[in-house]
Amino acid sequence: MSVWNPDNIRDVAESVGINNLNHDVTENLARDVEYRVAQVLEEALKSMRHAKRTVLTTQDISLALRNLDVEPLYGYESLRPLRFGEASLGPGQPLFYVEDEEVDFEKLINAPLPKVPREISFTGHWLAVEGVQPSISQNPTASDSRNLELASKGPNANSTLAAMSGSGDVAVKPLVKHVLSKELQLYFEKVCSAILDENSEEFRTSGYSSLREDPGLHQLVPYFIQFIAEKVTHSLKDIFVLTQVMHMAEALVQNSSLYVDPYVASLVPSILTCLIGRQLGGAADLTEQFALRDLAATLLGLIAKKYSHSAHMLKPRLVRSCLKAFLDPAKPFGAHYGAIIGMQAVGGAEVVRVLIIPNLGEYSKLLEDGIEDSARRPAAERVLTALVAVLASLRDSQTSLANGHPATVNEELRSKLTDKVGDLIASRIAEANEVQLAHIILEA
């Protein structure tokens, strides 16, 4: 015999169009309903006990239904008490129901629409990097931090009244004071002035050595990166300043105690400027300009090797920037030189084989025009030398050729090489009698 009244089962069955339900079926359904209700109550009591309560709420029932993978009930969590009405189906058969609130249909239609709720979204940002908050919209600004620092303390404090009475601390203090100690600020100023001192090589060497070896410079890293970017931006015509800031960047990257990974994206543009920039050093000697590009290429290769594991797209982006400069005929030969050695430093022999060799046929025409022009000839000669050098890196990465190849570059081999890389480069390879290199280029 079930505790649950079988008449309730019969009423529900008649409401959905099932008449004359069998008595045995009604009894079995009543027992099943009793079991299910007990199961829901048991789960709801668990929620109540976990919440340290002694009163069962509708929220507990909803959680129980959710745990049992049953669609929860809606509309029964209001604080308004339920009002029950009574209707009579006949003599001695009362039916109770929940009264619904009457709503004026005209008012409902003319009522303004509610605001569209925002879609749920998640985003991530750096709250602090090495103890320093980056200046992004999610973090408090410098003015907010300053106002919070200068606000009067206490439960009944009024900052405006305190300032008017003269008792409030309203002095404007530089924000950097709360980030760097006086010792670090003094160290930063001394190192920057020593590195840019043209008259004392000893001071510069000491500054580079300190940046390369000192372990306590974590808080100064973003300031050094900003200093490098400012000097590169405002000193493009000063070859000395550009060279020294590149040495500074190299010392920071070589310091094994510093965590420079978050600042690589800010450091790379300055290095690329010194590598593939149009005009570097103004009227400086050509040798110094190309030495700066060599230094920038070496530094770029060091960064690509050291930080490619934390930035997977670093190498492709660096190679793409250099390739774009190499394929731009409007760029001067100095920028082409930097792009060539930059690609080889970042990607090695594979980049030379895949990206440089296929474009040498067309580029050789531009190079021949530069050789014929007396004003551009020195730079074009350096580009030609750089191309032969990066092509020689293919030979260094290959094993020696097997027997059977000619001992010298004959006319047939030179003709094929000319079609592949142009007459100028083919002539240089033939003059050096680089048989192995010629076959490697033809097979690429």
Side-chain angles (χ1 to χ4, degrees):
M1 182 66 181
S2 172
V3 177
W4 195 266
N5 191 351
D7 292 339
N8 293 335
I9 305 298
R10 198 172 288 109
D11 292 340
V12 174
E14 290 176 357
S15 67
V16 295
I18 303 176
N19 299 320
N20 302 324
L21 193 63
N22 187 279
H23 179 72
D24 295 336
V25 174
T26 305
E27 287 289 340
N28 290 330
L29 286 175
R31 292 192 189 96
D32 187 69
V33 170
E34 180 184 346
Y35 169 74
R36 300 298 177 185
V37 170
Q39 190 179 19
V40 171
L41 288 175
E42 185 178 354
E43 288 291 330
L45 288 173
K46 290 180 183 179
S47 300
M48 182 192 73
R49 294 190 189 100
H50 280 295
K52 308 294 184 182
R53 288 185 280 101
T54 57
V55 178
L56 193 67
T57 64
T58 55
Q59 185 67 28
D60 297 327
I61 301 295
S62 297
L63 292 174
L65 293 174
R66 184 178 302 173
N67 292 337
L68 295 173
D69 200 17
V70 180
E71 184 177 3
L73 300 175
Y74 301 98
Y76 288 92
E77 296 185 7
S78 174
L79 298 178
R80 181 176 59 85
L82 298 178
R83 294 183 301 175
F84 294 95
E86 181 180 355
S88 178
L89 298 177
Q93 294 185 6
L95 177 65
F96 295 93
Y97 62 92
V98 178
E99 291 185 356
D100 292 330
E101 182 182 358
E102 293 184 2
V103 179
D104 189 350
F105 194 61
E106 184 176 354
K107 290 183 179 179
L108 183 64
I109 293 177
N110 296 329
L113 294 176
K115 293 182 179 180
V116 179
R118 285 187 174 185
E119 295 184 0
I120 298 176
S121 60
F122 299 91
T123 182
H125 69 92
W126 287 100
L127 177 63
V129 180
E130 295 293 323
V132 180
Q133 283 192 346
S135 299
I136 56 178
S137 58
Q138 290 86 351
N139 288 338
T141 61
S143 59
D144 295 338
S145 301
R146 189 183 304 112
N147 293 336
L148 185 62
E149 179 69 21
L150 299 178
S152 300
K153 306 299 189 293
N156 300 319
N158 188 309
S159 58
T160 304
L161 294 178
M164 292 176 62
S165 63
S167 59
D169 183 10
V170 294
V172 178
K173 302 176 182 179
L175 187 62
V176 70
K177 179 177 181 294
H178 306 290
V179 179
L180 297 178
S181 63
K182 291 183 178 179
E183 292 78 8
L184 283 177
Q185 294 183 49
L186 183 61
Y187 174 87
F188 177 78
E189 295 173 1
K190 292 293 184 181
V191 168
C192 292
S193 60
I195 285 176
L196 298 181
D197 187 0
E198 298 187 36
N199 301 321
S200 179
E201 185 178 355
E202 183 180 355
F203 283 171
R204 294 200 303 270
T205 305
S206 300
Y208 296 141
S209 178
S210 177
L211 292 177
R212 191 176 294 109
E213 298 173 0
D214 285 354
L217 306 179
H218 297 279
Q219 290 181 302
L220 288 177
V221 171
Y223 296 93
F224 281 126
I225 301 296
Q226 183 181 7
F227 175 79
I228 292 171
E230 290 178 355
K231 290 303 176 183
V232 170
T233 303
H234 298 99
S235 305
L236 287 176
K237 294 184 179 181
D238 192 335
I239 196 69
F240 174 79
V241 173
L242 295 177
T243 304
Q244 301 314 311
V245 295
M246 286 298 102
H247 283 299
M248 175 187 286
E250 184 181 25
L252 290 173
V253 172
Q254 290 177 346
N255 192 328
S256 58
S257 301
L258 298 182
Y259 182 62
V260 191
D261 298 55
Y263 310 104
V264 170
S266 302
L267 181 61
V268 163
S270 303
I271 302 173
L272 284 176
T273 301
C274 294
L275 180 68
I276 55 177
R278 282 183 172 272
Q279 297 293 334
L280 299 177
D285 185 54
L286 196 64
T287 303
E288 295 180 347
Q289 296 181 19
F290 281 87
L292 174 62
R293 297 184 192 273
D294 290 333
L295 175 60
T298 304
L299 180 55
L300 204 64
L302 178 62
I303 289 176
K305 181 180 179 181
K306 189 173 182 179
Y307 302 109
S308 58
H309 66 281
S310 58
H312 300 293
M313 293 302 295
L314 179 61
K315 280 188 177 181
R317 293 175 66 180
L318 294 177
V319 172
R320 191 181 301 118
S321 299
C322 293
L323 181 63
K324 184 178 179 181
F326 175 61
L327 298 179
D328 188 357
K331 295 273 188 181
F333 282 115
H336 293 166
Y337 175 88
I340 293 167
I341 61 176
M343 283 190 286
Q344 196 271 338
V346 173
E350 187 63 25
V351 169
V352 176
R353 181 182 296 106
V354 176
L355 298 179
I356 295 182
I357 291 180
N359 295 296
L360 288 182
E362 290 294 328
Y363 185 77
S364 62
K365 301 176 182 177
L366 179 66
L367 200 57
E368 290 175 1
D369 295 338
I371 295 291
E372 295 175 358
D373 188 351
S374 58
R376 298 192 299 164
R377 180 178 300 171
E381 287 284 352
R382 288 182 175 271
V383 173
L384 180 59
T385 304
L387 283 172
V388 175
V390 298
L391 291 176
S393 65
L394 295 176
R395 179 196 57 207
D396 299 336
S397 63
Q398 294 277 343
T399 57
S400 299
L401 290 172
N403 294 331
H405 292 288
T408 60
V409 179
N410 53 32
E411 290 298 326
E412 181 183 358
L413 184 59
R414 177 170 177 172
S415 176
K416 294 179 180 180
L417 200 60
T418 301
D419 296 336
K420 184 82 172 182
V421 299
D423 184 60
L424 282 176
I425 301 175
S427 300
R428 288 293 181 93
I429 295 175
E431 291 174 3
N433 199 24
E434 294 280 2
V435 180
Q436 181 182 1
L437 179 58
H439 283 283
I440 292 174
I441 293 174
L442 293 176
E443 293 172 0

